Amino acid sequence: MECKDLIFFLSDYIDGELNPKICAELDQHLNKCESCRIVFNTFEKTIYLFKEIEPHKLPDGVHNRLHKVIKESWETKMRIHLKTFASNKMEIKNKKKEVETMSPIRRYHPLAEISKIEDMFDRYLNQFFRDFFPKRMVRGELARVEWTPAVDIVDKGTHFLLRSELPGLKREDISISVTTDSIDISGETKRSEEEKKENYYKCERYYGSFSRSLQIPADVVPDKVEASLKDGILEVKLPKKEVKKVKAIDVKVK
Amino acid sequence: MSRYSDDVLVEKAQSDDLNAFDKLVSRYEEKIYNLAYRILRNREDPEDVLQETFISVFKSLKKFKRKSAFSTWVYRIATNAALMKLRKKKLETVSLDAPLKISENEIKRETVDWSKNPGKIFKTQRLREIMEQAIELLPYHYKTVFLLRDEEGLSTDEVAKVLNISVSAVKSRLHRARLSLREKLTKYFSTGSFEKPKEV
């Protein structure tokens, strides 16, 4: 081993990740080379010193502000969560308030974007594998990919109409929240107690939670959104925000 | 409740236990604050990143499948949030991938073994400032690896997961960051001064 090799292996040596043979050679070299020993000592000391740097204490108020923000988000979520679908006309959870209270800290979240893309791939792949292979053949990651409901969105002029296939779901199993430009549909498909006890010969249906978040192409009015569920199809009417038309005024030129 | 593992708290938080979520936040808030503080180089308020990180965690909590450790997931969200801040402000004037210039191949004949200096020399405020400045000057990709691995004490595998890079990339960046920091300290101890090096 030469001096220039030593520097290459230093980190692995200190982290204990070097293979024993090279490790022994390095030990040998360190024993006889004063200069390398200094490099090693100072390198090790550097790591030690940096590890020992005292972390900055949270400045005053940071802890309280953080926990306050979290509490607020939590409460908003709970308020939405506790509402249930009362009548045939489904109640839409309006996320508008949440947006207002949280606007100071709502910012672009890079991970949300990544997970959207992931969801998209998962969905396509999952669909592909479901279509082409019986479930038992799908192993590993893909078999665990969740089910997501298929969705159509139609532009009806004054409103958008969203249709989604939610077979076997009851109103109370579905939760919808709408902002001015997005809609989240989530819920859970459950196996009944009786079904759970049954002796399965084939078991392909999906049970568990699902969710879909969709962007709406133009601004809508969350307060006026209506939804209904019939024969396993969810229909959500999303009225568009009216764009005030400016009246044309005739101006006479004298 | 603090004796509970992250996993237990995550499970409780996922079933709408705010108290459990608060505990998790308290467990990581200082770490995330420090990480953000160092990544942002004092140019942005780390508190913003701190809040964004945990709101993001809160919002995606139900989707978190516990395939990786909670800490890994939180660090990942935090480093991304911090990076977005830097990108938005376009404060990095060079590519974030700028290589770290260190003399890996030409090892100088070392004459000063400052590691044997008396202990109190290492405890001065001046040295601390120098070390912080040295971290600050590391290019982004080296800094994040170094901070997560040596400062936060994550394993090589965990760092790789957090940053979504290969284990060998973690190792090589970490090594280069450490070498660069050693050079800076050596310079400080051998000349007794520390010139602010030109930013790489």
Side-chain angles (χ1 to χ4, degrees), chain A residues 64-140:
Chain A
N64 290 342
R65 282 195 292 275
L66 175 64
H67 286 256
K68 188 166 168 268
V69 164
I70 288 168
K71 193 158 180 266
E72 279 168 11
S73 321
W74 191 278
E75 281 166 356
T76 314
K77 192 186 135 199
M78 284 300 128
R79 261 205 312 279
I80 293 169
H81 195 67
L82 288 172
K83 285 188 197 166
T84 45
F85 297 93
S87 63
N88 191 32
K89 203 174 184 185
M90 290 168 66
E91 193 180 341
I92 301 296
K93 288 140 191 189
N94 188 347
K95 280 213 303 201
K96 208 175 161 195
K97 280 207 180 86
E98 181 193 7
V99 175
E100 273 163 14
T101 51
M102 303 210 345
S103 53
I105 38 93
R106 271 177 77 98
R107 291 207 175 87
Y108 175 68
H109 294 303
L111 237 73
E113 293 301 314
I114 294 169
S115 80
K116 267 183 214 158
I117 298 169
E118 270 175 11
D119 283 354
M120 199 176 78
F121 274 107
D122 282 352
R123 217 157 38 236
Y124 286 135
L125 276 175
N126 196 28
Q127 191 63 46
F128 173 80
F129 277 88
R130 251 197 341 214
D131 289 350
F132 287 90
F133 301 101
K135 192 171 184 183
R136 274 164 195 278
M137 283 178 66
V138 186
R139 297 253 178 252

Coordinates of all heavy atoms in Angstrom, one line a residue, chain A residues 64-140:
Chain A
N64 N -43.4 26.4 19.9 CA -44.9 26.7 20.1 C -45.6 27.0 18.8 O -46.7 26.6 18.6 CB -45.0 27.9 21.0 CG -44.7 27.5 22.5 OD1 -44.6 26.3 22.8 ND2 -44.4 28.5 23.3
R65 N -44.9 27.8 17.9 CA -45.6 28.1 16.6 C -45.8 26.9 15.8 O -46.9 26.7 15.2 CB -44.7 29.1 15.9 CG -44.9 30.5 16.4 CD -44.3 31.5 15.4 NE -42.9 31.5 15.2 CZ -42.0 32.1 16.0 NH1 -42.4 32.9 17.0 NH2 -40.7 32.0 15.9
L66 N -44.8 26.0 15.8 CA -44.9 24.7 15.0 C -46.1 23.9 15.5 O -46.9 23.4 14.8 CB -43.6 23.9 15.1 CG -43.6 22.6 14.5 CD1 -43.8 22.7 13.0 CD2 -42.3 21.8 14.8
H67 N -46.2 23.7 16.8 CA -47.2 22.9 17.4 C -48.6 23.5 17.2 O -49.6 22.8 17.1 CB -46.9 22.5 18.8 CG -45.8 21.5 18.9 ND1 -46.0 20.2 19.2 CD2 -44.5 21.6 18.7 CE1 -44.9 19.5 19.1 NE2 -43.9 20.4 18.9
K68 N -48.6 24.9 17.2 CA -49.9 25.5 17.0 C -50.4 25.3 15.6 O -51.5 25.0 15.4 CB -49.7 27.0 17.2 CG -51.0 27.8 17.2 CD -50.7 29.2 17.8 CE -51.9 30.1 17.5 NZ -51.8 30.9 16.3
V69 N -49.5 25.4 14.6 CA -49.8 25.2 13.2 C -50.3 23.8 13.0 O -51.3 23.5 12.3 CB -48.6 25.5 12.3 CG1 -48.8 24.9 10.9 CG2 -48.3 27.0 12.2
I70 N -49.6 22.8 13.7 CA -50.0 21.4 13.5 C -51.4 21.2 14.2 O -52.3 20.5 13.6 CB -49.0 20.5 14.2 CG1 -47.7 20.5 13.3 CG2 -49.5 19.1 14.4 CD1 -46.6 19.9 14.0
K71 N -51.6 21.8 15.3 CA -52.9 21.7 16.0 C -54.0 22.2 15.1 O -55.1 21.6 15.0 CB -52.9 22.4 17.4 CG -54.0 22.0 18.3 CD -53.7 22.3 19.7 CE -54.8 22.0 20.6 NZ -55.7 23.1 20.9
E72 N -53.8 23.4 14.5 CA -54.8 24.0 13.7 C -55.1 23.0 12.5 O -56.3 22.8 12.2 CB -54.3 25.3 13.1 CG -54.5 26.4 14.1 CD -53.7 27.7 13.7 OE1 -53.3 27.8 12.6 OE2 -53.7 28.6 14.6
S73 N -54.1 22.5 11.8 CA -54.3 21.6 10.7 C -55.1 20.4 11.2 O -56.0 19.9 10.5 CB -53.0 21.1 10.1 OG -52.1 22.1 10.0
W74 N -54.7 19.9 12.3 CA -55.4 18.7 12.9 C -56.9 19.0 13.1 O -57.7 18.2 12.8 CB -54.7 18.4 14.2 CG -55.1 17.0 14.7 CD1 -56.2 16.7 15.4 CD2 -54.4 15.8 14.5 NE1 -56.2 15.4 15.7 CE2 -55.1 14.8 15.2 CE3 -53.2 15.5 13.9 CZ2 -54.7 13.5 15.2 CZ3 -52.8 14.2 13.9 CH2 -53.5 13.2 14.6
E75 N -57.1 20.1 13.8 CA -58.5 20.4 14.1 C -59.4 20.6 12.8 O -60.5 20.1 12.7 CB -58.6 21.7 14.9 CG -58.3 21.4 16.4 CD -58.0 22.6 17.2 OE1 -58.0 23.7 16.6 OE2 -57.8 22.4 18.4
T76 N -58.8 21.3 11.8 CA -59.5 21.4 10.5 C -59.8 20.1 10.0 O -60.9 19.8 9.5 CB -58.6 22.2 9.5 OG1 -58.0 23.3 10.2 CG2 -59.4 22.6 8.3
K77 N -58.8 19.2 10.0 CA -59.0 17.8 9.5 C -60.1 17.1 10.2 O -61.0 16.4 9.6 CB -57.7 17.1 9.5 CG -57.7 15.8 8.7 CD -56.5 15.0 9.0 CE -56.8 13.6 9.2 NZ -55.8 12.8 9.8
M78 N -60.1 17.2 11.5 CA -61.1 16.5 12.3 C -62.5 17.0 12.1 O -63.4 16.2 12.0 CB -60.8 16.7 13.8 CG -59.6 15.8 14.3 SD -60.0 14.1 14.0 CE -58.6 13.6 13.2
R79 N -62.6 18.3 11.9 CA -63.9 18.9 11.6 C -64.5 18.3 10.4 O -65.7 17.9 10.3 CB -63.8 20.4 11.5 CG -64.2 21.2 12.7 CD -64.7 22.6 12.3 NE -63.8 23.3 11.4 CZ -62.7 23.9 11.8 NH1 -62.3 23.9 13.0 NH2 -61.9 24.5 10.9
I80 N -63.6 18.2 9.4 CA -64.1 17.6 8.1 C -64.4 16.1 8.3 O -65.4 15.6 7.9 CB -63.0 17.7 7.0 CG1 -62.8 19.2 6.7 CG2 -63.3 16.9 5.8 CD1 -61.6 19.5 5.9
H81 N -63.6 15.4 9.1 CA -63.7 14.0 9.2 C -65.0 13.6 9.9 O -65.6 12.6 9.6 CB -62.5 13.6 10.1 CG -62.3 12.1 10.0 ND1 -61.9 11.4 8.9 CD2 -62.4 11.1 11.0 CE1 -61.8 10.1 9.1 NE2 -62.1 9.9 10.4
L82 N -65.4 14.4 10.9 CA -66.5 14.0 11.7 C -67.9 14.2 11.0 O -68.8 13.5 11.4 CB -66.5 14.9 13.0 CG -65.4 14.5 14.0 CD1 -65.3 15.5 15.2 CD2 -65.6 13.1 14.5
K83 N -67.9 15.0 10.0 CA -69.2 15.2 9.3 C -69.5 13.9 8.6 O -68.6 13.2 8.0 CB -69.0 16.3 8.3 CG -69.1 17.7 8.9 CD -69.1 18.7 7.7 CE -68.7 20.0 8.2 NZ -68.5 20.9 7.1
T84 N -70.7 13.5 8.6 CA -71.1 12.3 7.8 C -72.1 12.7 6.8 O -72.7 13.7 6.8 CB -71.7 11.2 8.7 OG1 -72.6 11.9 9.6 CG2 -70.6 10.5 9.5
F85 N -72.3 11.8 5.9 CA -73.3 12.0 4.8 C -74.7 11.8 5.4 O -75.0 10.7 5.9 CB -73.1 11.0 3.7 CG -71.8 11.2 3.0 CD1 -70.6 10.5 3.4 CD2 -71.6 12.1 2.0 CE1 -69.4 10.7 2.8 CE2 -70.4 12.3 1.4 CZ -69.3 11.6 1.8
A86 N -75.5 12.8 5.5 CA -76.7 12.8 6.2 C -77.9 12.3 5.3 O -78.5 11.3 5.6 CB -77.0 14.1 6.8
S87 N -78.1 13.0 4.3 CA -79.3 12.6 3.4 C -78.8 12.0 2.1 O -77.7 11.6 2.0 CB -80.0 13.9 3.1 OG -79.2 14.7 2.3
N88 N -79.8 11.8 1.3 CA -79.4 11.2 0.0 C -78.5 12.1 -0.8 O -77.6 11.7 -1.5 CB -80.7 11.0 -0.8 CG -80.4 10.2 -2.1 OD1 -79.6 9.3 -2.0 ND2 -81.1 10.4 -3.1
K89 N -78.7 13.4 -0.6 CA -77.8 14.4 -1.2 C -76.5 14.4 -0.3 O -76.6 14.6 0.9 CB -78.5 15.8 -1.1 CG -77.9 16.7 -2.1 CD -78.7 18.0 -2.1 CE -78.3 18.9 -3.2 NZ -79.0 20.2 -3.0
M90 N -75.4 14.1 -0.9 CA -74.2 13.9 -0.1 C -73.6 15.3 0.3 O -73.6 16.2 -0.5 CB -73.2 13.1 -0.9 CG -73.6 11.7 -1.0 SD -72.6 10.9 -2.2 CE -71.0 10.9 -1.3
E91 N -73.2 15.3 1.5 CA -72.6 16.6 2.0 C -71.1 16.6 1.5 O -70.4 15.7 1.6 CB -72.6 16.6 3.5 CG -72.3 17.9 4.0 CD -72.4 17.9 5.6 OE1 -73.0 16.9 6.1 OE2 -71.8 18.8 6.2
I92 N -70.8 17.8 1.0 CA -69.4 17.9 0.5 C -68.6 18.7 1.5 O -69.0 19.7 2.0 CB -69.4 18.7 -0.8 CG1 -70.2 18.0 -1.9 CG2 -68.0 18.9 -1.3 CD1 -69.7 16.6 -2.3
K93 N -67.5 18.1 1.8 CA -66.6 18.8 2.8 C -65.9 19.9 2.1 O -65.2 19.6 1.1 CB -65.7 17.8 3.4 CG -66.4 16.9 4.3 CD -65.9 15.5 4.2 CE -66.9 14.5 4.9 NZ -66.4 13.2 5.0
N94 N -66.0 21.0 2.6 CA -65.4 22.2 2.0 C -64.1 22.5 2.6 O -63.9 22.7 3.8 CB -66.4 23.4 2.2 CG -65.9 24.5 1.4 OD1 -64.8 24.6 0.9 ND2 -66.8 25.5 1.3
K95 N -63.1 22.4 1.8 CA -61.7 22.6 2.3 C -61.3 24.0 2.3 O -60.2 24.4 2.6 CB -60.7 21.7 1.5 CG -60.7 20.3 1.9 CD -59.3 19.7 1.8 CE -58.7 19.8 0.5 NZ -57.7 18.8 0.2
K96 N -62.2 24.9 1.8 CA -61.9 26.3 1.6 C -61.3 26.9 2.9 O -60.3 27.6 2.9 CB -63.1 27.0 1.2 CG -62.8 28.3 0.3 CD -64.1 28.9 -0.1 CE -63.9 30.3 -0.6 NZ -65.1 31.0 -0.7
K97 N -62.0 26.6 4.0 CA -61.6 27.2 5.3 C -60.2 26.8 5.6 O -59.4 27.6 6.1 CB -62.5 26.8 6.4 CG -63.8 27.6 6.4 CD -64.4 27.6 7.8 CE -65.7 28.4 7.9 NZ -66.8 27.6 7.6
E98 N -59.9 25.6 5.4 CA -58.6 25.0 5.7 C -57.5 25.8 4.9 O -56.5 26.2 5.4 CB -58.5 23.6 5.3 CG -57.2 22.9 5.6 CD -57.1 21.6 5.0 OE1 -58.0 21.2 4.2 OE2 -56.1 20.9 5.3
V99 N -57.8 26.1 3.7 CA -56.9 26.8 2.8 C -56.6 28.2 3.4 O -55.5 28.6 3.5 CB -57.4 26.9 1.4 CG1 -56.5 27.8 0.6 CG2 -57.6 25.5 0.8
E100 N -57.7 28.8 3.9 CA -57.5 30.1 4.4 C -56.7 30.1 5.6 O -55.7 30.9 5.7 CB -58.9 30.7 4.7 CG -59.5 31.4 3.5 CD -61.0 31.6 3.8 OE1 -61.5 31.5 4.9 OE2 -61.7 31.9 2.7
T101 N -57.0 29.3 6.6 CA -56.3 29.3 7.8 C -54.8 28.9 7.6 O -53.9 29.3 8.3 CB -56.9 28.4 8.9 OG1 -57.0 27.1 8.3 CG2 -58.2 28.9 9.4
M102 N -54.6 28.1 6.6 CA -53.2 27.5 6.5 C -52.4 28.3 5.4 O -51.3 27.9 5.2 CB -53.3 26.1 6.2 CG -54.0 25.3 7.2 SD -53.5 23.7 7.5 CE -52.5 23.3 6.1
S103 N -53.0 29.2 4.8 CA -52.3 29.8 3.7 C -50.9 30.3 4.0 O -50.0 30.2 3.1 CB -53.2 30.9 3.0 OG -53.6 31.8 4.0
P104 N -50.6 30.8 5.2 CA -49.3 31.3 5.4 C -48.2 30.2 5.3 O -47.1 30.4 5.0 CB -49.3 31.8 6.8 CG -50.7 32.0 7.1 CD -51.5 31.0 6.3
I105 N -48.6 28.9 5.5 CA -47.6 27.9 5.5 C -47.9 26.9 4.4 O -47.2 25.9 4.3 CB -47.5 27.2 6.9 CG1 -48.8 27.0 7.5 CG2 -46.6 27.9 7.8 CD1 -49.5 25.7 7.3
R106 N -48.9 27.1 3.6 CA -49.1 26.2 2.5 C -48.2 26.6 1.3 O -48.3 27.6 0.8 CB -50.5 26.3 2.0 CG -51.5 25.3 2.7 CD -52.8 25.5 2.2 NE -53.0 24.9 0.9 CZ -53.6 23.7 0.8 NH1 -53.9 23.0 1.8 NH2 -53.8 23.2 -0.4
R107 N -47.3 25.7 1.1 CA -46.4 26.0 0.0 C -46.2 24.8 -0.9 O -46.8 23.7 -0.6 CB -45.0 26.4 0.6 CG -45.1 27.7 1.3 CD -43.8 28.4 1.2 NE -43.9 29.7 1.8 CZ -43.8 30.0 3.1 NH1 -43.6 29.0 3.9 NH2 -43.9 31.2 3.6
Y108 N -45.5 25.0 -1.9 CA -45.3 23.9 -2.9 C -44.5 22.7 -2.2 O -43.5 22.9 -1.6 CB -44.4 24.4 -4.0 CG -44.0 23.4 -5.0 CD1 -44.9 22.7 -5.8 CD2 -42.7 23.0 -5.1 CE1 -44.6 21.8 -6.7 CE2 -42.3 22.0 -6.0 CZ -43.2 21.4 -6.8 OH -42.8 20.5 -7.7
H109 N -45.1 21.5 -2.3 CA -44.5 20.4 -1.7 C -43.9 19.5 -2.7 O -44.7 18.8 -3.4 CB -45.4 19.7 -0.8 CG -45.8 20.5 0.4 ND1 -44.9 21.0 1.3 CD2 -47.0 20.9 0.8 CE1 -45.5 21.7 2.2 NE2 -46.8 21.7 2.0
P110 N -42.6 19.4 -2.8 CA -42.0 18.6 -3.9 C -42.4 17.1 -3.8 O -42.7 16.5 -4.8 CB -40.5 18.8 -3.7 CG -40.4 19.3 -2.3 CD -41.6 20.1 -2.0
L111 N -42.6 16.6 -2.6 CA -42.9 15.2 -2.5 C -44.3 14.9 -3.0 O -44.5 13.8 -3.5 CB -42.7 14.8 -1.0 CG -41.7 13.7 -0.9 CD1 -40.3 14.2 -1.1 CD2 -41.9 13.0 0.4
A112 N -45.2 15.9 -2.8 CA -46.5 15.6 -3.3 C -46.5 15.4 -4.8 O -47.2 14.5 -5.3 CB -47.4 16.8 -2.9
E113 N -45.7 16.2 -5.4 CA -45.6 16.0 -6.9 C -45.0 14.6 -7.3 O -45.5 13.9 -8.1 CB -44.7 17.1 -7.5 CG -45.2 18.5 -7.4 CD -46.6 18.6 -8.1 OE1 -46.7 18.2 -9.2 OE2 -47.5 19.2 -7.5
I114 N -44.0 14.2 -6.5 CA -43.4 12.9 -6.8 C -44.4 11.8 -6.6 O -44.6 10.9 -7.4 CB -42.2 12.7 -5.9 CG1 -41.1 13.7 -6.3 CG2 -41.6 11.3 -6.1 CD1 -39.9 13.8 -5.3
S115 N -45.2 11.9 -5.5 CA -46.1 10.9 -5.2 C -47.2 10.8 -6.2 O -47.8 9.8 -6.5 CB -46.6 11.0 -3.8 OG -47.7 11.9 -3.7
K116 N -47.5 12.0 -6.8 CA -48.6 12.0 -7.8 C -48.1 11.2 -9.0 O -48.9 10.4 -9.6 CB -48.8 13.4 -8.3 CG -50.0 14.1 -7.6 CD -50.2 15.5 -8.1 CE -50.7 16.4 -7.0 NZ -50.4 17.8 -7.4
I117 N -46.8 11.4 -9.4 CA -46.3 10.6 -10.5 C -46.3 9.1 -10.2 O -46.6 8.3 -11.0 CB -44.9 11.1 -10.9 CG1 -45.0 12.6 -11.3 CG2 -44.3 10.3 -12.0 CD1 -43.7 13.3 -11.5
E118 N -45.8 8.9 -9.0 CA -45.8 7.5 -8.5 C -47.2 6.8 -8.6 O -47.3 5.7 -9.1 CB -45.3 7.4 -7.1 CG -43.8 7.3 -7.0 CD -43.3 7.3 -5.6 OE1 -44.2 7.2 -4.6 OE2 -42.1 7.4 -5.4
D119 N -48.1 7.6 -8.1 CA -49.5 7.1 -8.1 C -49.9 6.7 -9.6 O -50.5 5.7 -9.8 CB -50.5 8.1 -7.6 CG -50.4 8.2 -6.1 OD1 -49.7 7.3 -5.5 OD2 -51.1 9.0 -5.5
M120 N -49.6 7.6 -10.5 CA -50.0 7.4 -11.8 C -49.4 6.2 -12.4 O -50.0 5.3 -13.0 CB -49.5 8.6 -12.7 CG -50.2 8.8 -14.0 SD -49.6 10.3 -14.7 CE -48.0 9.8 -15.4
F121 N -48.1 6.0 -12.2 CA -47.4 4.8 -12.6 C -48.0 3.5 -12.0 O -48.3 2.5 -12.7 CB -45.9 4.8 -12.4 CG -45.1 5.6 -13.4 CD1 -44.6 6.8 -13.2 CD2 -45.0 5.0 -14.7 CE1 -44.0 7.5 -14.2 CE2 -44.3 5.7 -15.7 CZ -43.8 6.9 -15.4
D122 N -48.2 3.6 -10.7 CA -48.8 2.5 -10.0 C -50.1 2.1 -10.6 O -50.4 0.9 -10.8 CB -49.0 2.9 -8.5 CG -47.7 2.8 -7.7 OD1 -46.7 2.4 -8.3 OD2 -47.7 3.2 -6.5
R123 N -50.9 3.1 -10.9 CA -52.2 2.9 -11.4 C -52.1 2.1 -12.7 O -52.8 1.1 -13.0 CB -53.0 4.2 -11.5 CG -54.4 4.0 -11.1 CD -55.1 5.3 -10.7 NE -54.7 6.4 -11.5 CZ -54.2 7.5 -10.9 NH1 -54.0 7.5 -9.6 NH2 -53.9 8.6 -11.6
Y124 N -51.3 2.7 -13.6 CA -51.2 2.1 -15.0 C -50.6 0.7 -14.9 O -51.1 -0.3 -15.5 CB -50.3 2.9 -15.9 CG -51.0 4.2 -16.3 CD1 -50.4 5.4 -16.3 CD2 -52.4 4.1 -16.8 CE1 -51.1 6.6 -16.7 CE2 -53.0 5.3 -17.1 CZ -52.4 6.5 -17.1 OH -53.0 7.6 -17.5
L125 N -49.6 0.5 -14.1 CA -49.0 -0.8 -14.0 C -49.9 -1.8 -13.4 O -50.1 -2.9 -13.8 CB -47.7 -0.7 -13.1 CG -46.5 -0.3 -13.8 CD1 -45.3 -0.1 -12.8 CD2 -46.1 -1.3 -14.8
N126 N -50.6 -1.3 -12.3 CA -51.5 -2.2 -11.6 C -52.7 -2.6 -12.6 O -53.0 -3.8 -12.6 CB -52.1 -1.4 -10.5 CG -52.8 -2.4 -9.5 OD1 -52.4 -3.5 -9.4 ND2 -53.8 -1.9 -8.8
Q127 N -53.2 -1.7 -13.3 CA -54.2 -2.0 -14.3 C -53.7 -3.0 -15.3 O -54.4 -4.0 -15.6 CB -54.6 -0.7 -15.0 CG -55.9 -0.8 -15.8 CD -57.1 -1.1 -14.9 OE1 -57.3 -0.4 -13.9 NE2 -57.9 -2.0 -15.3
F128 N -52.5 -2.8 -15.8 CA -51.9 -3.7 -16.7 C -51.8 -5.1 -16.2 O -52.3 -6.0 -16.8 CB -50.5 -3.1 -17.1 CG -49.8 -4.1 -18.0 CD1 -50.0 -4.1 -19.4 CD2 -48.8 -4.9 -17.5 CE1 -49.3 -5.0 -20.2 CE2 -48.1 -5.8 -18.3 CZ -48.3 -5.8 -19.6
F129 N -51.3 -5.2 -15.0 CA -51.1 -6.5 -14.4 C -52.5 -7.2 -14.1 O -52.6 -8.4 -14.2 CB -50.2 -6.5 -13.2 CG -48.8 -6.5 -13.6 CD1 -48.1 -5.3 -13.8 CD2 -48.1 -7.7 -13.7 CE1 -46.8 -5.3 -14.2 CE2 -46.8 -7.7 -14.1 CZ -46.1 -6.5 -14.3
R130 N -53.4 -6.3 -13.7 CA -54.7 -6.9 -13.4 C -55.4 -7.4 -14.6 O -56.0 -8.5 -14.6 CB -55.6 -5.8 -12.7 CG -55.8 -6.1 -11.3 CD -57.0 -5.3 -10.7 NE -57.4 -4.2 -11.5 CZ -57.9 -3.1 -11.0 NH1 -57.9 -2.9 -9.7 NH2 -58.2 -2.1 -11.7
D131 N -55.2 -6.7 -15.7 CA -55.8 -7.1 -17.0 C -55.2 -8.4 -17.5 O -55.9 -9.2 -18.1 CB -55.7 -6.0 -18.0 CG -56.6 -4.8 -17.6 OD1 -57.5 -5.0 -16.7 OD2 -56.5 -3.7 -18.2
F132 N -53.9 -8.5 -17.4 CA -53.2 -9.5 -18.1 C -52.9 -10.8 -17.3 O -52.6 -11.8 -17.8 CB -52.0 -9.0 -18.8 CG -52.3 -8.1 -19.9 CD1 -52.4 -6.8 -19.8 CD2 -52.4 -8.7 -21.2 CE1 -52.7 -6.0 -20.9 CE2 -52.7 -7.9 -22.3 CZ -52.9 -6.5 -22.1
F133 N -52.9 -10.6 -16.0 CA -52.5 -11.8 -15.2 C -53.5 -12.0 -14.1 O -54.0 -11.0 -13.5 CB -51.2 -11.6 -14.5 CG -50.0 -11.4 -15.5 CD1 -49.6 -10.1 -15.7 CD2 -49.5 -12.4 -16.2 CE1 -48.5 -9.8 -16.6 CE2 -48.5 -12.2 -17.1 CZ -48.0 -10.9 -17.3
P134 N -53.9 -13.2 -13.8 CA -54.7 -13.5 -12.6 C -53.9 -13.0 -11.4 O -52.7 -13.0 -11.4 CB -54.9 -15.0 -12.6 CG -53.9 -15.6 -13.5 CD -53.5 -14.5 -14.5
K135 N -54.6 -12.7 -10.3 CA -54.0 -12.0 -9.2 C -52.9 -12.8 -8.6 O -51.9 -12.3 -8.2 CB -55.0 -11.8 -8.1 CG -54.5 -10.8 -7.0 CD -55.6 -10.4 -6.1 CE -55.0 -9.4 -5.1 NZ -56.0 -9.1 -4.1
R136 N -53.0 -14.1 -8.5 CA -52.0 -15.0 -7.9 C -50.7 -14.9 -8.6 O -49.6 -15.1 -8.0 CB -52.5 -16.4 -7.9 CG -53.3 -16.7 -6.7 CD -54.1 -18.0 -6.9 NE -55.2 -18.0 -5.9 CZ -55.0 -18.4 -4.7 NH1 -53.8 -18.8 -4.2 NH2 -56.0 -18.5 -3.8
M137 N -50.7 -14.5 -9.8 CA -49.4 -14.4 -10.5 C -48.7 -13.1 -10.2 O -47.5 -13.0 -10.4 CB -49.6 -14.5 -12.0 CG -49.9 -15.9 -12.5 SD -50.2 -15.8 -14.3 CE -48.6 -15.3 -14.9
V138 N -49.4 -12.2 -9.7 CA -48.8 -10.9 -9.4 C -48.2 -10.9 -8.0 O -48.9 -10.9 -7.0 CB -49.8 -9.7 -9.5 CG1 -49.1 -8.4 -9.4 CG2 -50.5 -9.8 -10.8
R139 N -46.9 -10.9 -8.0 CA -46.2 -11.0 -6.7 C -45.5 -9.7 -6.4 O -45.3 -8.8 -7.2 CB -45.2 -12.1 -6.8 CG -45.8 -13.5 -7.0 CD -45.7 -14.3 -5.7 NE -46.4 -15.6 -5.9 CZ -47.5 -15.9 -5.4 NH1 -48.2 -15.0 -4.7 NH2 -48.0 -17.1 -5.6
G140 N -45.0 -9.7 -5.1 CA -44.2 -8.6 -4.7 C -44.9 -7.2 -4.7 O -46.1 -7.2 -4.4

